[in-house]
Amino acid sequence: HDPLALKNAEKVLGNSSVEYIRDLKDCITASDILVVTTNWPEYKNIKGSWLENSPKIVIDPWRIIDVTKLPKNVTYLPLGLNI
């Protein structure tokens, strides 16, 4: 999910085996692993309910997701911390 890069990605990659998802919630609910690669404000507002239907892994090097709001089935990895 990267709204700023989506048009260019579609242009470069075409209709290959890449699935383009514009909506953040749809992207998260369709994924098993979430890697937060930017600290955009919309990622701070990820709802735990979007992650509760299957085991998930969240890799958050920005540490912007509130871990207290994540379901118990989520493994949260805040990279950059000595944990």
Side-chain angles (χ1 to χ4, degrees):
H1 177 262
D2 186 341
L4 296 179
L6 192 59
K7 285 184 183 179
N8 192 45
E10 288 175 327
K11 192 183 307 179
V12 171
L13 301 171
N15 290 329
S16 62
S17 61
V18 176
E19 182 178 356
Y20 302 101
I21 302 177
R22 287 170 171 71
D23 181 74
L24 178 59
K25 178 184 176 185
D26 291 343
C27 183
I28 291 171
T29 57
S31 302
D32 291 323
I33 298 174
L34 169 63
V35 181
V36 180
T37 59
T38 181
N39 63 351
W40 290 347
E42 65 191 280
Y43 294 110
K44 292 179 184 178
N45 298 318
I46 291 172
K47 296 184 180 5
S49 62
W50 298 353
L51 296 155
E52 60 190 20
N53 290 330
S54 66
K56 303 280 183 170
I57 297 172
V58 175
I59 301 171
D60 182 11
W62 294 95
R63 296 174 298 284
I64 62 171
I65 296 175
D66 184 354
V67 69
T68 64
K69 296 182 180 178
L70 297 177
K72 293 182 188 219
N73 66 321
V74 172
T75 300
Y76 180 74
L77 302 171
L79 298 184
L81 292 178
N82 186 15
I83 54 173

